[in-house]
Amino acid sequence: MLTRLSIRNIVLIEALDLTFGRGLGVLTGETGAGKSILLDALGLVLGNRADSGLVRGGEDKASVSASFEFAALPLALAERLDDADIEIEDGEPLIVRRQLRADGKSKAFVNDQPVSVGLLREIAGFLVELHGQHDDRGLVNPRGHRALLDRFAGVDGAKLDTAWTGWRRAEDALAEARLAVETAKADQDLLLAHLAELTTLEPQAGEETRLAETRADMQKGEKLSGDLEELRHLWEGSDSPLASLRVAARRLDRIAPEHPLLAEALAALDRAVIEAGEAEDKLEAAAEALVHDPAALEAAETRLFELRALARKHRCEVDELPELMRDMRSRLESIEGSEAQLDALEAAAKDAGARYRKEAEALHDARLAAAARLDKAVAGELAPLKLDAARFRTAVTQLPEDRWGAQGMDAVEFLIATNPGADFAPLAKIASGGELSRFILALKVALAEQGGAATVIFDEIDRGVGGAVASAIGERLARLSADGQLLAVTHSPQVAARGRTHYMIAKSSQGTVTKTGVVLLDEAGRQEEIARMLSGAEVTPEARAQADRLLEGA
């Protein structure tokens, strides 16, 4: 609830510090005393547009600070503040502050942390619910009517929310699978053509390297063929160098025992024969490795070029072609098995949709039953508030499927008809501000709403009424405020007498300077103010006596 409001240099208010408590607080004063200034100041910290005209004349800036306290911080409010990196400990007040400069620029703070004005607007609904002559929020806004009816019905939307989430996920999975199948089928002919082309070549891992090496060897063989042929002639035949070495070794072997040096010469010659033999083997192996076969070279070159061309076509490396083949086969297999997968996903989506419809239809029935009870409850409140010719209806309308959601398949709106025979219309269409405020009061009493804004403010709800109607309004305001905080700006002594606390707004002048002030009245002050409201400018003993009777009756 609102516990403190501090105002500096707002229009006629130079400096004002107000404290508020639980229950019904009433604000009274003569017309033009400045009651609207208080609401404008409060609106500033709730994110209303910054108007440089609010800055007191002669001052360069103004400020408003409002402090709110909660038994338990609403979860949604705590989450929004957490998103803004604002931490509030249990029992700690929430202090909202706004500074406004004479040039119209402003700054906003929550617990001394700079924030955007947009954040103030977001959290305002948790802090203050204002109903006045031009109310376009709170109960008037149809966007909140469904939640209010559900709260009145006592329904828990958790199951429906879970069912909706499950249905959306199932439908999303089905749509994704259908798109994948359609895309795959569109590519199926191309996949088959590419796979046939790859299968014809049947590329192997590492094949490019092997073909390139073979091709290079054969090209070298072609280049060295003449030299290899000459070497072959030198090593072949009985007159070749190796044959001559072997003959010499055999002859030396017969005489080697005759002298040690001959034996050493034989050993050296044997080594030469062995080395020459190895050289002959290497030459033979090289000739075989470098053999020049024009047909084989052409075949190697052709396959190498085909593999590389195919790799360029698919924008990959040659060694990646086998994996590409496997991927294409897998994609084709998935297309073939896609029908069965789609059937399973369609069945899952159908089941999820059926679960959602079951929960949504149950909630729809509960809303219809609650709407009838609410209509009856509101109707019972209209006559005492001088709205006996009016009618109230809670319209529960089933939406087309494309507008269903986690809150069900219904649109809910509170409608009224102010005159017999008139058509029902939305609350916001009512021309009379006084009627609108009284309708809202009747609706709030019927809803017995819990968990709304921390503070509810009614601005001149009693405009244009008096006597029994004003008493009825005061009694209902007091009832609504029993477990919370409600502030009422009023001209009615019957409403003012119901207040637990009473603030008088007065305007004073000193020379050319005019100021607005607010005083928390004691019992004597309350009697005098209510007497003034009863009698006018001159307070009579009769007015004071009547004021006493009103206070005693409250």
Side-chain angles (χ1 to χ4, degrees):
M1 68 176 182
L2 176 65
T3 57
R4 186 177 179 86
L5 182 65
S6 296
I7 303 173
R8 298 290 184 271
N9 297 324
I10 294 289
V11 192
L12 298 179
I13 299 176
E14 182 178 22
L16 182 62
D17 294 295
L18 292 175
T19 58
F20 300 93
R22 299 182 66 82
L24 176 60
V26 295
L27 295 93
T28 64
E30 295 182 357
T31 300
K35 294 185 291 295
S36 63
I37 300 175
L38 288 178
L39 298 181
D40 289 341
L42 186 58
L44 197 63
V45 295
L46 297 177
N48 287 358
R49 185 178 66 86
D51 183 356
S52 60
L54 291 175
V55 180
R56 180 176 168 80
E59 302 292 337
D60 58 357
K61 65 180 179 180
S63 68
V64 182
S65 175
S67 180
F68 297 87
E69 294 183 7
F70 300 85
L73 198 67
L75 179 60
L77 175 59
E79 290 176 347
R80 186 62 191 90
L81 293 174
D82 185 62
D83 290 341
D85 294 326
I86 299 172
E87 296 183 1
I88 298 182
E89 301 293 336
D90 290 340
E92 182 182 1
L94 176 67
I95 302 174
V96 185
R97 182 162 55 92
R98 186 98 175 265
Q99 290 180 347
L100 175 62
R101 291 186 349 196
D103 60 5
K105 295 182 179 179
S106 70
K107 295 180 181 179
F109 305 84
V110 173
N111 284 23
D112 289 328
Q113 181 170 323
V115 299
S116 67
V117 175
L119 178 65
L120 297 189
R121 295 193 192 100
E122 288 183 46
I123 67 175
F126 298 101
L127 305 177
V128 175
E129 182 180 322
L130 173 62
H131 302 292
Q133 300 298 302
H134 305 289
D135 194 355
D136 61 355
R137 295 181 296 181
L139 296 181
V140 175
N141 192 334
R143 285 183 295 182
H145 291 177
R146 183 169 55 193
L148 288 170
L149 180 62
D150 287 350
R151 192 178 303 156
F152 178 77
V155 296
D156 182 6
K159 284 186 177 180
L160 182 63
D161 184 76
T162 300
W164 169 256
T165 301
W167 188 23
R168 287 301 90 210
R169 286 176 179 169
E171 288 288 350
D172 290 345
L174 177 59
E176 185 178 345
R178 280 176 175 162
L179 179 61
V181 168
E182 289 172 4
T183 303
K185 283 186 175 179
D187 295 340
Q188 188 173 25
D189 291 341
L190 185 61
L191 277 173
L192 287 169
H194 286 332
L195 186 59
E197 192 175 31
L198 283 164
T199 303
T200 299
L201 279 182
E202 200 65 41
Q204 304 295 322
E207 187 176 9
E208 181 186 26
T209 300
R210 294 194 299 272
L211 283 172
E213 290 175 352
T214 299
R215 172 173 171 258
D217 286 344
M218 285 193 288
Q219 287 175 333
K220 290 176 185 176
E222 182 180 21
K223 180 180 178 181
L224 299 174
S225 60
D227 294 331
L228 289 173
E229 187 63 27
E230 290 180 7
L231 285 169
R232 184 179 298 109
H233 286 305
L234 285 174
W235 289 96
E236 291 178 349
S238 57
D239 57 346
S240 67
L242 182 54
S244 299
L245 283 173
R246 287 171 177 162
V247 170
R250 285 195 295 272
R251 290 180 179 177
L252 184 56
D253 182 55
R254 289 196 292 270
I255 62 175
E258 299 300 329
H259 195 279
L261 289 176
L262 293 175
E264 292 178 8
L266 177 60
L269 191 57
D270 284 340
R271 288 195 298 272
V273 170
I274 292 171
E275 294 290 337
E278 290 179 357
E280 184 181 34
D281 293 339
K282 297 292 185 182
L283 285 170
E284 188 65 30
E288 290 179 1
L290 297 173
V291 63
H292 173 227
D293 182 349
L297 176 59
E298 183 179 359
E301 287 182 335
T302 299
R303 182 164 178 80
L304 184 61
F305 295 156
E306 287 177 343
L307 289 171
R308 288 176 174 172
L310 204 54
R312 285 195 300 273
K313 180 177 180 178
H314 293 287
R315 297 180 181 180
C316 66
E317 300 295 330
V318 172
D319 282 347
E320 294 173 352
L321 290 175
E323 181 61 30
L324 180 63
M325 286 178 63
R326 288 190 289 273
D327 179 61
M328 288 182 177
R329 288 193 181 105
S330 176
R331 290 168 65 187
L332 287 169
E333 289 171 0
S334 69
I335 294 173
E336 293 171 359
S338 60
E339 293 300 330
Q341 181 187 16
L342 283 179
D343 288 344
L345 289 173
E346 285 173 354
K350 183 178 180 181
D351 289 344
R355 286 192 294 273
Y356 172 79
R357 285 183 177 86
K358 181 180 178 181
E359 294 292 340
E361 287 168 359
L363 181 56
H364 173 73
D365 293 341
R367 283 170 175 162
L368 288 177
R373 296 196 308 273
L374 180 59
D375 292 351
K376 183 177 179 180
V378 173
E381 296 291 334
L382 296 180
L385 296 175
K386 203 179 179 180
L387 294 168
D388 44 325
R391 291 167 295 148
F392 176 87
R393 185 174 74 192
T394 305
V396 181
T397 309
Q398 282 196 319
L399 298 168
E401 186 172 334
D402 61 351
R403 293 180 61 191
W404 293 358
Q407 288 75 42
M409 55 176 65
D410 303 317
V412 176
E413 186 169 10
F414 301 144
L415 305 175
I416 60 170
T418 56
N419 298 303
D423 292 333
F424 282 93
L427 285 173
K429 299 290 184 181
I430 300 176
S432 166
E435 284 183 333
L436 175 58
S437 293
R438 280 179 280 147
F439 259 110
I440 290 171
L441 177 58
L443 183 55
K444 285 193 74 69
V445 171
L447 287 169
E449 184 188 353
Q450 300 296 322
T455 299
V456 179
I457 299 176
F458 279 94
D459 181 17
E460 299 187 0
I461 189 175
D462 47 18
R463 178 185 290 265
V465 300
V469 176
S471 294
I473 291 173
E475 186 274 329
R476 281 156 177 77
L477 291 175
R479 193 196 318 167
L480 275 177
S481 65
D483 296 319
Q485 182 187 55
L486 192 150
L487 301 176
V489 177
T490 180
H491 290 286
S492 168
Q494 290 89 344
V495 173
R498 290 280 183 173
R500 179 181 292 182
T501 52
H502 191 151
Y503 303 86
M504 187 181 71
I505 304 169
K507 188 164 55 176
S508 62
S509 297
Q510 293 180 348
T512 59
V513 178
T514 301
K515 297 180 181 180
T516 289
V518 180
V519 178
L520 176 61
L521 299 178
D522 56 17
E523 287 301 316
R526 291 189 68 191
Q527 181 210 43
E528 193 69 11
E529 172 63 3
I530 292 174
R532 181 201 63 77
M533 296 170 72
L534 286 165
S535 63
E538 183 179 350
V539 180
T540 65
E542 291 79 5
R544 291 188 178 95
Q546 188 176 353
D548 285 338
R549 286 193 292 272
L550 286 176
L551 288 168
E552 289 172 2

